[in-house]
Amino acid sequence: MSQQPSSGATGSVPPAAPQPPRRLYRSRTDRVIGGVCGGLAAYFDVDPTLVRVLAVVSLVLPGPQILAYLVAWIVMPEEPWQPAPAPQTPVASPPANPPAADH
């Protein structure tokens, strides 16, 4: 009877919490015209400037790029509004070397 060598793990790893499905939204905060490029960049996790540069460069190619942008602007829902986090007030720390009292 031969046993298979173990991989070193003594227990099973609990499954990760299910991730909510990603949604494609127009950006509320990262927008130049309609938030379409900012929303695409957030969805694909790339720099929004790269998406904008590619969109502008694509304008020299034949095709309905402007129409596609306008359709995306109309069809893509706007990102849900999220309140800004409350500003945290810094806690004052005592001085490192308190001044000596003169008597």
Side-chain angles (χ1 to χ4, degrees):
M1 288 194 270
S2 67
Q3 292 181 344
Q4 296 289 336
S6 70
S7 62
T10 58
S12 62
V13 177
Q19 296 290 332
R22 291 191 323 175
R23 299 283 315 258
L24 179 61
Y25 293 113
R26 287 186 295 124
S27 176
R28 284 183 180 269
T29 56
D30 194 10
R31 60 172 40 175
V32 173
I33 298 175
V36 174
C37 291
L40 287 170
Y43 184 80
F44 291 111
D45 196 26
V46 295
D47 186 25
T49 305
L50 176 66
V51 176
R52 290 184 185 107
V53 167
L54 290 175
V56 170
V57 168
S58 75
L59 292 175
V60 299
L61 301 172
Q65 289 86 344
I66 295 176
L67 180 62
Y69 185 89
L70 292 174
V71 167
W73 192 349
I74 294 168
V75 172
M76 285 173 60
E78 195 167 36
E79 182 178 34
W81 184 80
Q82 297 176 355
Q88 296 180 351
T89 57
V91 177
S93 60
N97 293 326
D102 292 332
H103 291 299

